[in-house]
Amino acid sequence: MTNPRQQVLANVQKASLHLAAIDDPEPSPPQEESTPLQYDQTAARGLSLNEAMDWSTEYKGFLDGRLFDQGSIPQLITIEPHQHGHRPVILVHGTASSAARWADMINDLLEDTEIRQNYEFWLFSYATGNPIPYSALQLREALQQAVSQLGGVQADPALGEMTLIGHSQGGLLIKLLAIDAGDKLWDGMISRPLDSLNLSTNSKTLLQEALFPKPLPEVKSVVFISTPQHGSYIAGFSLAHLVGRMVTFPITVTEVTKAVMESDPNIRRLNMRPWRVGSVYGMSPHSSFIRSLATIPVANQITAHSIIPVLGDGPLDKQNDGVVSYKSAHVPDIDSELVVRRSGHSTQSNPITIAEVRRILLAQLHNGSRPPQTAELITRNDIMTLGGEYVPTTRTHMAAPQNDNQPTTTTPPARTGKSVRPTP
């Protein structure tokens, strides 16, 4: 509107409306002295989520392992259509949960211009009572199919720069896409080699793909949030086992389990009742699966980060988040570990957790020669100012910073058991 002061007193006001796409990094201004464009989709995202989300799928998805087998409910969805050059960030929820639990994090991260211009968010859902390797295989196949449908890495190299973020059980799923297990998982659970068992070709193929995983080539980094790397003490309770027995598994899982048990008398003597292959027992600290998985590190070519909430302020080895103990969530052979104090298991909406995910995503963009496009990069010191505590880890992939605007990723000293606090 030109000359607004004069026009307001006139009988007729004239103005022009210019529309710009929110994903256009450099929209053309209508005039030289135009107000910088701003946008806020919080209300739109909230309304869309409220109308589209069936919250009953959280408990249905836990109790009915066949929920997604019908094909009527998609397992992998995106916030918006894929844009060339945008790196996928895949979010995987935890037990008896749903993709809606990521809403606050996604909303906050998309307010960052650089994240909005370089990343896009994909959400994976699964029947959370099913065996963890089976769900991880579904995740692997869903991502492979999506990349193929989008033309592959050859058509868009950004598809080969995936970041996987998993909460709780979801963290175990993404780990199975980031390790070279060899025969460690299988040997930890079954005393006979797979090839020696009298199984059908289909059964052997499923077991081979689920229990002998290799890193998915497109995955470049993983972020574990509240992940029971060594099992959840809650999953070891008798009540949890009772609930686990109520889960109905897909026919494929039931048939393969039965075939394995019938293939050898020694295996038949093992306690492999159907409920013991489900995710609840799989996350028990006594589970042979979780104990074997814990010994396998993330592949060297994939960066790994961990965010661990704890409820109290005392020594970390005595803390927990109400579901997972710090000892269980802690693994030393990763690139960074952040402890979020006074936060429960569902920490996805915690401002410190979201800030750390933002730091990791921005650090990945600027790791190397690419210069920052903004002066608002968040550093480890910023996270510690918010109240986060970094615990030293035993490896690092990211280059050391060249200035204060770069994320702090210098090689830490050997672990002492004490968390790192901001210096005065």
Side-chain angles (χ1 to χ4, degrees):
M1 177 182 287
T2 58
N3 301 318
R5 292 179 181 274
Q6 289 80 1
Q7 285 203 55
V8 75
L9 300 176
N11 294 329
V12 178
Q13 289 80 36
K14 295 182 179 180
S16 59
L17 176 65
H18 297 263
L19 300 179
I22 62 174
D23 55 3
D24 186 352
E26 296 180 358
S28 301
Q31 56 189 30
E32 292 184 1
E33 297 181 359
S34 63
T35 303
L37 296 178
Q38 301 291 327
Y39 92 109
D40 186 347
Q41 282 193 304
T42 301
R45 293 189 196 114
L47 182 61
S48 298
L49 181 62
N50 185 59
E51 292 178 347
M53 183 61 199
D54 179 5
W55 294 95
S56 66
T57 59
E58 295 197 342
Y59 63 83
K60 286 180 182 177
F62 173 72
L63 294 174
D64 187 358
R66 305 160 299 181
L67 182 65
F68 294 95
D69 290 357
Q70 311 303 321
S72 59
I73 305 177
Q75 288 193 267
L76 185 64
I77 62 174
T78 62
I79 299 297
E80 57 187 10
H82 172 67
Q83 297 184 64
H84 188 277
H86 284 212
R87 304 180 183 187
V89 177
I90 296 85
L91 302 167
V92 185
H93 62 75
T95 307
S97 186
S98 68
R101 302 296 178 176
W102 297 105
D104 288 340
M105 177 178 289
I106 293 173
N107 187 62
D108 285 0
L109 292 175
L110 285 177
E111 293 302 310
D112 186 291
T113 302
E114 195 158 10
I115 287 178
R116 191 168 66 247
Q117 293 176 0
N118 291 279
Y119 289 101
E120 60 191 26
F121 294 90
W122 301 2
L123 302 163
F124 180 75
S125 298
Y126 60 104
T128 58
N130 278 341
I132 295 169
Y134 180 77
S135 298
L137 180 58
Q138 289 184 318
L139 172 60
R140 180 185 296 268
E141 292 175 343
L143 294 178
Q144 289 173 329
Q145 181 180 15
V147 171
S148 176
Q149 291 176 341
L150 292 170
V153 177
Q154 297 80 7
D156 186 356
L159 293 172
E161 299 288 338
M162 287 186 179
T163 297
L164 306 183
I165 302 179
H167 173 256
S168 192
Q169 183 188 162
L172 300 177
L173 266 63
I174 68 172
K175 183 176 182 180
L176 286 166
L177 272 64
I179 61 173
D180 188 351
D183 55 9
K184 291 182 180 178
L185 275 180
W186 178 265
D187 289 350
M189 295 184 289
I190 305 294
S191 58
R192 287 276 304 277
L194 175 59
D195 290 339
S196 69
L197 300 181
N198 184 23
L199 300 172
S200 68
T201 301
N202 289 340
S203 294
K204 281 189 176 182
T205 299
L206 177 62
L207 291 170
Q208 180 71 42
E209 293 176 346
L211 294 174
F212 297 80
K214 292 183 178 296
L216 189 66
E218 292 81 6
V219 174
K220 294 299 181 284
S221 65
V222 292
V223 181
F224 304 114
I225 302 178
S226 310
T227 299
Q229 306 279 5
H230 301 275
S232 167
Y233 64 88
I234 293 293
F237 290 170
S238 298
L239 179 60
H241 290 178
L242 176 63
V243 173
R245 296 178 191 221
M246 299 169 64
V247 175
T248 301
F249 298 120
I251 294 177
T252 303
V253 173
T254 304
E255 289 181 345
V256 171
T257 303
K258 181 180 179 182
V260 170
M261 293 178 64
E262 293 178 348
S263 65
D264 185 278
N266 293 323
I267 295 178
R268 193 178 304 129
R269 286 195 292 268
L270 296 176
N271 190 350
M272 288 186 64
R273 285 172 289 182
W275 67 271
R276 290 177 69 94
V277 304
S279 66
V280 174
Y281 186 78
M283 289 185 287
S284 167
H286 308 294
S287 160
S288 58
F289 164 75
I290 200 71
R291 295 170 71 175
S292 300
L293 181 61
T295 65
I296 308 172
V298 171
N300 287 330
Q301 69 270 26
I302 298 175
T303 58
H305 307 273
S306 187
I307 301 174
I308 305 176
V310 294
L311 293 171
D313 293 318
L316 288 177
D317 60 356
K318 301 183 182 302
Q319 297 301 309
N320 65 76
D321 63 11
V323 177
V324 178
S325 69
Y326 170 79
K327 283 184 176 181
S328 173
H330 170 73
V331 285
D333 50 347
I334 56 176
D335 295 274
S336 73
E337 178 187 300
L338 177 73
V339 173
V340 183
R341 295 277 188 176
R342 295 177 292 281
S343 179
H345 187 66
S346 298
T347 190
Q348 305 97 304
S349 299
N350 188 293
I352 300 176
T353 300
I354 296 173
E356 173 68 355
V357 172
R358 177 178 171 232
R359 182 192 72 81
I360 292 169
L361 294 179
L362 292 176
Q364 290 174 174
L365 286 177
H366 305 304
N367 181 32
S369 58
R370 176 174 173 172
Q373 298 177 6
T374 174
E376 297 183 358
L377 283 182
I378 190 168
T379 67
R380 286 195 180 198
N381 286 334
D382 295 327
I383 301 296
M384 291 190 288
T385 299
L386 291 174
E389 300 177 12
Y390 286 99
V391 172
T393 56
T394 58
R395 71 163 180 163
T396 181
H397 281 81
M398 296 183 179
Q402 300 300 315
N403 57 63
D404 291 339
N405 286 331
Q406 295 282 5
T408 304
T409 54
T410 53
T411 304
R415 175 169 168 74
T416 62
K418 297 181 180 179
S419 55
V420 180
R421 297 180 180 272
T423 54

